[in-house]
C-alpha cells in the first residue's frame, strides 16, 4: 500500500512522542512534535481570552522532570514555548528541513526550468482581487513559478465570479452603483440570513472552478473524490481568503470580518443578520455564541495573520496549501498521493521564490507559514 507522508510529519513510519507530555503521536502540530491536547492548550493560553499562568502548581518549576507536566499550566506552557522557540531559532524542526529537501529533490528530478525568472518577476505582487485577472492576461508566458501563477490567476477569476454572483443576492431595496457592477468601488454590506446560503453556494461553485483550472490532478478525479476534497478544504480556504481581504480592507479594525466577498459581519451587526432567520428560537443565545466564536476566530486567525504578515506570493502558497490540506489526504490513498504531490510542487516553487530573492535562511519563515495555517485550521470556523 502507499504510505501517506504527512507534510507536517518527520520522515519515518514509527510513532513519536509529544515533546511536552510524552504521549504517542502520529503527526506534529504548530511545527513541533506535540499532541493535539498540548497544542490546543498552548493556543488557548495565547488567545485573548486567557492569561499566561503565573506560578507553578508545585512551586518548584520541575513538573516536567517529575512527569506531571499536564497537571501544571505554568510548566506545560513554558515547556511548549521552549520547544517552539528552539525549533524556530535553530531551524532544527525536522518537518521544515525535510520539506525544503523534498522541494530541492523534486526540482532536481524534474525537467530543467526554461526560465528561472528575474528578481523583478518574483518580487511580491500587488493585492489580489477581481481586477488582477485582467492584468494577468498580459503577463509574461514564462515563469519559474507556474503553479503559484495559476493559483493567483484562478483566485482572481474566482473573485470576479463572487463579485458578480453576489451582486444578485443583495436586496432589491439596496441601490447598486456603477462601482458595484464593474468592481471599481464595491460597497461592503452587512451580511443577512437571506444572503448566507446563496453566497455560500456561489463560493462553493467558484472553488470547484478554481480547482479544475489550477490543478490537473483535481480535474482528473471523479465527482465523488472531488466532492470529498472540497468538503475538507472549503472551511480553511474560506477563512484564509476572508482573513487576507480583511487585513487589506480593514487593517485597523480586527473586529470586522468578511462573511462573503461583498458582505461583512461584526458584533454590532449580529442582531440584524439573524432577524430574518426562521430557525433561531433563542436569538440572544445565538448572538452570544456567535460573538464568542468570533473572538476566538479573531485570536486564532486575524491576529496571528497580522503577526506573521504573509506577502501576496506567500498568501498564494498558503491558499494552495489550505486547499491541499492534510485532512484531504486522510480520506484515501489516491487523494493522499495527490495531496503530497501538489504540496511538494507548491513548496518547490516557494523555494525558488526565496532563492531568487536571495533569502537563503528561509526554513524559519516556512515554519511560521505552516504554524499560521495549522492555527487557522483549529479555529472555531474550521471545526
Amino acid at each position: 500500500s502507499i504510505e501517506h507522508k504527512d507534510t507536517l510529519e518527520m520522515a519515518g513510519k514509527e510513532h513519536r512522542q509529544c515533546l511536552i507530555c510524552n504521549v504517542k503521536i502520529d503527526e506534529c502540530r504548530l511545527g513541533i512534535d506535540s499532541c493535539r491536547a498540548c497544542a490546543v492548550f498552548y493556543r488557548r493560553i495565547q488567545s485573548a481570552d486567557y492569561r499566561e499562568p503565573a506560578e507553578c502548581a508545585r512551586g518548584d518549576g520541575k513538573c516536567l522532570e517529575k512527569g506531571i507536566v499536564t497537571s501544571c499550566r505554568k510548566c506545560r506552557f513554558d515547556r511548549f514555548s521552549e520547544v517552539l522557540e528552539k525549533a524556530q531559532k535553530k531551524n532544527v524542526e525536522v518537518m521544515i528541513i525535510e520539506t525544503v529537501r523534498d522541494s530541492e529533490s523534486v526540482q532536481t528530478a524534474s525537467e530543467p526550468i526554461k526560465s528561472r525568472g528575474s528578481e523583478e518577476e518574483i518580487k511580491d505582487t500587488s493585492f489580489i482581487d477581481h481586477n488582477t485577472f485582467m492584468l494577468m492576461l498580459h503577463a509574461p508566458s514564462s515563469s519559474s513559478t507556474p503553479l503559484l501563477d495559476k493559483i493567483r490567476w484562478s483566485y482572481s477569476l474566482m473573485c470576479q465570479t463572487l463579485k458578480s454572483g453576489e451582486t444578485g443576492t443583495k436586496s432589491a431595496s439596496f441601490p447598486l452603483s456603477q462601482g458595484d457592477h464593474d468592481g471599481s468601488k464595491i460597497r461592503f454590506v452587512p451580511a443577512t440570513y437571506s444572503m448566507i446560503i446563496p453566497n455560500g453556494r456561489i463560493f462553493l461553485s467558484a472553488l470547484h472552478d478554481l480547482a479544475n483550472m489550477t490543478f490537473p490532478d483535481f480535474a482528473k478525479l471523479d465527482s465523488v473524490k472531488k466532492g470529498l476534497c472540497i468538503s475538507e478544504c472549503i472551511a480553511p480556504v474560506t477563512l484564509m481568503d476572508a482573513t487576507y481581504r480583511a487585513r487589506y480592507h480593514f487593517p485597523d479594525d480586527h473586529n470586522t470580518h468578511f462573511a462573503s466577498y461583498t458582505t461583512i459581519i461584526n458584533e454590532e451587526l449580529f442582531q440584524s443578520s439573524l432577524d430574518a432567520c426562521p430557525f433561531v428560537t433563542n436569538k440572544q443565545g445565538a448572538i452570544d455564541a456567535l460573538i464568542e466564536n468570533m473572538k476566538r476566530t479573531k485570536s486564532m486567525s486575524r491576529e496571528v495573520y497580522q503577526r506573521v504578515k504573509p506577502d501576496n506570493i506567500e498568501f498564494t502558497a498558503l491558499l494552495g496549501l489550505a486547499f491541499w490540506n492534510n485532512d484531504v489526504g486522510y480520506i484515501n490513498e489516491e487523494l493522499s498521493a495527490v495531496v503530497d504531490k501538489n504540496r511538494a510542487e507548491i513548496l518547490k516553487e516557494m523555494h525558488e521564490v526565496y532563492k531568487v530573492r536571495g533569502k537563503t535562511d528561509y526554513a524559519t519563515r516556512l515554519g511560521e507559514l505552516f504554524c499560521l495555517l495549522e492555527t487557522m485550521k483549529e479555529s472555531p470556523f474550521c471545526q
Side-chain angles (χ1 to χ4, degrees), residues 125-181:
T125 63
S126 59
F127 179 72
I128 309 166
D129 63 2
H130 52 277
N131 295 310
T132 310
F133 170 75
M134 300 304 296
L135 298 174
M136 293 189 71
L137 290 177
H138 306 289
S141 58
S142 62
S143 171
S144 59
T145 57
L147 182 54
L148 291 178
D149 290 347
K150 273 187 178 181
I151 296 173
R152 179 171 172 244
W153 184 86
S154 299
Y155 173 69
S156 177
L157 184 57
M158 184 176 82
C159 291
Q160 278 198 337
T161 301
L162 298 176
K163 183 267 296 181
S164 299
E166 291 186 18
T167 299
T169 67
K170 290 183 172 65
S171 170
S173 62
F174 181 80
L176 293 172
S177 67
Q178 181 62 32
D180 290 312
H181 285 295

Side-chain angles (χ1 to χ4, degrees), residues 31-197:
I32 63 174
D33 279 358
S34 62
C35 65
R36 179 182 177 85
C38 286
V40 170
F41 166 80
Y42 181 77
R43 283 194 301 270
R44 189 173 294 159
I45 295 298
Q46 283 196 315
S47 73
D49 301 327
Y50 291 82
R51 293 182 179 179
E52 181 178 337
E55 297 181 355
C56 170
R58 296 175 60 87
D60 56 8
K62 297 182 179 180
C63 296
L64 177 65
E65 300 174 12
K66 298 176 181 178
I68 54 172
V69 68
T70 56
S71 63
C72 175
R73 297 173 75 247
K74 172 67 174 174
C75 291
R76 191 181 194 183
F77 180 82
D78 288 348
R79 172 60 176 168
F80 202 109
S81 301
E82 176 189 7
V83 173
L84 189 60
E85 182 179 4
K86 286 181 179 179
Q88 293 176 343
K89 284 188 176 181
K90 296 182 180 181
N91 296 334
V92 298
E93 202 287 295
V94 180
M95 176 272 295
I96 303 299
I97 295 174
E98 290 300 321
T99 295
V100 174
R101 289 174 179 169
D102 285 348
S103 68
E104 291 174 338
S105 65
V106 170
Q107 181 172 335
T108 303
S110 62
E111 295 182 3
I113 297 174
K114 295 182 180 179
S115 173
R116 287 186 64 249
S118 65
E119 186 172 354
E120 282 295 311
E121 291 174 336
I122 300 187
K123 69 180 182 180
D124 191 25
T125 63
S126 59
F127 179 72
I128 309 166
D129 63 2
H130 52 277
N131 295 310
T132 310
F133 170 75
M134 300 304 296
L135 298 174
M136 293 189 71
L137 290 177
H138 306 289
S141 58
S142 62
S143 171
S144 59
T145 57
L147 182 54
L148 291 178
D149 290 347
K150 273 187 178 181
I151 296 173
R152 179 171 172 244
W153 184 86
S154 299
Y155 173 69
S156 177
L157 184 57
M158 184 176 82
C159 291
Q160 278 198 337
T161 301
L162 298 176
K163 183 267 296 181
S164 299
E166 291 186 18
T167 299
T169 67
K170 290 183 172 65
S171 170
S173 62
F174 181 80
L176 293 172
S177 67
Q178 181 62 32
D180 290 312
H181 285 295
D182 63 25
S184 60
K185 189 175 182 180
I186 298 175
R187 291 173 296 169
F188 303 125
V189 301
T192 63
Y193 174 76
S194 62
M195 297 178 182
I196 292 174
I197 293 179

Side-chain angles (χ1 to χ4, degrees), residues 124-128 239-241 243-245 247-248 301-319 321 350 353-354 357 359 365-373 376:
D124 191 25
T125 63
S126 59
F127 179 72
I128 309 166
L239 184 58
M240 186 66 68
D241 159 66
T243 305
Y244 171 71
R245 292 189 300 109
R247 180 171 178 257
Y248 178 81
S301 59
R302 188 74 181 277
E303 293 176 358
V304 179
Y305 198 102
Q306 182 66 28
R307 288 199 297 269
V308 177
K309 291 183 172 61
D311 63 30
N312 293 303
I313 292 180
E314 289 174 328
F315 162 73
T316 303
L318 284 168
L319 196 67
L321 294 171
M350 284 306 299
V353 169
Y354 290 130
R357 289 177 175 178
K359 189 177 180 65
R365 182 56 179 172
L366 284 174
E368 291 174 345
L369 296 178
F370 273 112
C371 287
L372 168 62
L373 182 59
M376 292 178 72

Side-chain angles (χ1 to χ4, degrees), residues 22-36:
N22 292 325
V23 301
K24 288 185 177 181
I25 57 173
D26 293 317
E27 60 182 288
C28 67
R29 293 174 174 84
L30 297 183
I32 63 174
D33 279 358
S34 62
C35 65
R36 179 182 177 85

Side-chain angles (χ1 to χ4, degrees), residues 336-348:
S336 172
V338 172
V339 168
D340 288 344
K341 176 184 175 183
N342 283 276
R343 288 176 72 90
E345 186 65 26
I346 292 170
L347 292 166
K348 180 190 77 171

